[in-house]
């Protein structure tokens, strides 16, 4: 099995990026795995300009629902944070279901099935742990409502007797329509695809950021590089038999390019546990947030920008440069005028993004589980 951070820099792993945004998750994946992102997929044209600026050699494959995976270059790592609107705790909680934005996970699963990457990295919001997942109705299933976002009824037919080992109605049984959470559906699909998976949830404050921004990270690994007889069927999460296409298990060198200048940036800052005192000037400016702001200034190596833009007509509004700093990004990563994004587009891109240092820390935790 290939290991990340291999000393042979000509054999770095290749990354395919889905739902790429400004590339926060990619920065973390490249850092932890010493890898190169070779293509990405994003339909938001303004934010795709940001990604293309930082990864000029990586083509944008566009809409994930229309990509022909049979013609897509193979990658060793597939990463992405599929849309969170339908699983977010502040949304309508439609769940992980066909026809929803979050249901685009099914297309990411199709990509995993077709490309057979060795590693998969997924990021999403806390709601992934509690939102429902609604699978397509299986043939012969007559109790579909129990698997929908509706109150859960009895697990067994009326008058049925539970076995001695089945004191909890949901512990055993063969019903395909048991209640299912979104995270369980994702991990279950990864298992169907022949991958081991582990997950961790942590706030951005765990790496010293002055805000919580809790996120769930899933890392999946293929214990058998290209297993025979385990393939994902046409239905979401179903199993089918078939032989995986053969391919070379060696990492494919990206044209012998030197290590990307993006790599190494996340490890340059200090540790989140370091104590940083807030002086009188910081206390006057930031009040009760002074300690958190000063710590992030120390960890990022730069002072906090002005937090708000003042307009005589609309009043103060968040400054994109300050939000960019909160995410731990380099100055201008999103706000560079060359990207030609409006203030609203900048704030939307930053709000949907990933804190790279947080993602790298989560992956380091998961890698320590014995997959190195």
């Amino acid at each position: 099995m290939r290991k990340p951070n291999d000393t042979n820099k000509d054999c770095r792993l290749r990354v395919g990026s889905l739902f790429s945004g400004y590339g926060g998750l990619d920065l973390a994946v490249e850092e932890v795995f010493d890898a190169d992102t070779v293509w990405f997929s994003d339909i938001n044209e303004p934010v795709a300009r940001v990604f293309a600026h930082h990864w000029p050699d990586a083509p944008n494959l566009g809409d994930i629902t229309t990509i022909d995976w049979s013609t897509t270059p193979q990658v060793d790592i597939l990463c992405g944070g599929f849309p969170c609107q339908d699983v977010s705790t502040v949304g309508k909680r439609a769940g992980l279901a066909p026809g929803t934005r979050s249901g685009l996970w099914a297309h990411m699963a199709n990509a995993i099935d077709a490309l057979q990457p060795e590693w998969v990295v997924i990021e999403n919001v806390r709601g992934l742990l509690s939102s429902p997942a609604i699978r397509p109705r299986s043939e012969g299933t007559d109790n579909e409502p129990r698997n929908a976002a509706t109150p859960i009824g009895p697990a067994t037919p009326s008058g049925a007797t539970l076995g001695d080992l089945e004191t909890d109605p949901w512990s055993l049984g063969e019903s395909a329509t048991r209640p299912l959470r979104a995270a369980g559906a994702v991990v279950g699909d990864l298992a169907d695809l022949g991958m081991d998976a582990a997950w961790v949830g942590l706030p951005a404050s765990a790496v010293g950021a002055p805000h919580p921004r809790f996120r769930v990270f899933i890392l999946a690994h293929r214990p058998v590089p290209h297993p025979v007889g385990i393939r994902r069927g046409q239905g979401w999460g179903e199993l089918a038999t078939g032989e995986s296409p053969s391919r070379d298990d060696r990492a494919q060198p990206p044209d012998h390019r030197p290590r990307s200048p993006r790599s190494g940036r996340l490890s340059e800052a200090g540790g989140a546990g370091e104590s940083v005192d807030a002086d009188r000037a910081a206390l006057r400016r930031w009040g009760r947030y002074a300690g958190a702001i000063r710590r992030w200034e120390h960890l990022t190596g730069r002072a906090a920008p002005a937090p708000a833009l003042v307009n005589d007509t609309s009043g103060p509004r968040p400054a994109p440069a300050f939000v960019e700093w909160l995410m731990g990004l380099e100055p201008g990563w999103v706000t560079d005028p060359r990207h030609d994004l409006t203030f609203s587009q900048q704030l939307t891109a930053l709000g949907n993004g990933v804190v790279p240092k947080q993602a790298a820390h989560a992956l380091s935790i998961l890698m320590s589980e014995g997959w190195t």
Side-chain angles (χ1 to χ4, degrees), residues 83-118:
C84 66
Q85 291 96 322
D86 301 296
V87 297
S88 173
T89 55
V90 297
K92 294 182 178 180
R93 307 282 280 176
L96 199 68
T100 66
R101 287 283 295 160
S102 296
L104 289 174
W105 154 250
H107 291 278
M108 185 171 181
N110 288 338
I112 298 169
D113 190 20
L115 299 175
Q116 296 285 297
E118 187 175 347

Side-chain angles (χ1 to χ4, degrees), residues 72 103 114 154 174 191 224 228 261 282 351 362:
T72 302
E174 299 179 353
V224 179
V228 175

Side-chain angles (χ1 to χ4, degrees), residues 16-369:
S17 173
L18 301 174
F19 314 106
S20 306
Y22 60 63
L25 187 60
D26 300 83
L27 285 171
V29 170
E30 287 189 346
E31 174 73 20
V32 173
F33 286 89
D34 187 15
D36 279 318
T37 301
V38 296
W39 53 256
F40 74 104
S41 167
D42 203 296
I43 61 172
N44 186 317
E45 195 275 331
V47 77
R49 293 200 297 267
V50 176
F51 196 100
H53 175 83
H54 297 292
W55 282 270
D57 297 330
N60 183 3
L61 304 187
D63 188 346
I64 188 175
T65 66
T66 62
I67 296 174
D68 182 357
W69 300 115
S70 66
T71 62
T72 302
Q74 296 278 359
V75 291
D76 305 288
I77 307 166
L78 191 66
C79 70
F82 58 89
C84 66
Q85 291 96 322
D86 301 296
V87 297
S88 173
T89 55
V90 297
K92 294 182 178 180
R93 307 282 280 176
L96 199 68
T100 66
R101 287 283 295 160
S102 296
L104 289 174
W105 154 250
H107 291 278
M108 185 171 181
N110 288 338
I112 298 169
D113 190 20
L115 299 175
Q116 296 285 297
E118 187 175 347
W119 300 89
V120 172
V121 178
I122 299 167
E123 173 271 342
N124 217 286
V125 297
R126 182 197 294 267
L128 193 72
L129 304 176
S130 57
S131 293
I134 305 170
R135 292 185 181 274
R137 181 170 180 173
S138 302
E139 184 177 353
T141 298
D142 59 1
N143 57 347
E144 183 183 15
R146 294 183 189 170
N147 193 27
T150 56
I152 305 301
T156 56
S158 176
T161 301
L162 298 178
D164 292 337
L165 298 179
E166 203 166 350
T167 55
D168 178 355
W170 292 117
S171 294
L172 299 174
E174 299 179 353
S175 172
T177 57
R178 297 170 63 182
L180 186 64
R181 300 302 179 194
V186 171
V187 173
D189 281 344
L190 291 169
D192 287 350
L193 291 163
M195 306 196 80
D196 290 340
W199 67 273
V200 65
L202 75 163
S205 56
V207 295
H211 53 92
R213 199 172 181 84
F214 188 97
R215 289 295 182 267
V216 174
F217 298 90
I218 301 173
L219 177 64
H221 174 247
R222 193 176 304 283
V224 179
H226 309 295
V228 175
I230 302 180
R231 295 298 305 279
R232 190 169 179 272
Q234 295 299 317
W236 176 20
E238 296 175 358
L239 281 174
T241 59
E243 185 172 347
S244 301
S246 60
R247 56 179 283 235
D248 192 342
D249 283 339
R250 293 181 296 106
Q252 303 177 45
D255 302 326
H256 301 278
R257 289 179 295 171
R259 181 177 174 87
S260 166
R262 295 180 299 272
S263 303
R265 294 172 176 173
L266 303 186
S267 57
E268 291 173 356
E274 297 182 19
S275 176
V276 180
D277 294 329
D279 56 23
R280 292 172 63 90
L283 288 169
R284 283 196 300 270
R285 184 181 186 190
W286 300 106
R288 61 193 179 101
Y289 303 108
I293 294 292
R294 286 287 295 116
R295 182 174 63 250
W296 197 233
E297 288 179 328
H298 172 70
L299 291 172
T300 59
R302 63 188 184 97
L309 300 174
V310 180
N311 187 301
D312 292 337
T313 58
S314 59
R317 57 177 175 170
F322 179 70
V323 181
E324 187 176 61
W325 176 82
L326 289 175
M327 301 299 284
L329 298 168
E330 292 183 355
W333 187 271
V334 172
T335 59
D336 190 319
R338 290 175 294 178
H339 302 327
D340 195 25
L341 270 63
T342 67
F343 282 171
S344 295
Q345 289 171 336
Q346 291 173 5
L347 289 173
T348 298
L350 290 164
N352 291 334
V354 181
V355 178
K357 189 175 178 66
Q358 175 189 12
H361 182 55
L363 290 176
S364 297
I365 293 173
L366 293 170
M367 292 296 294
S368 69
E369 297 296 319

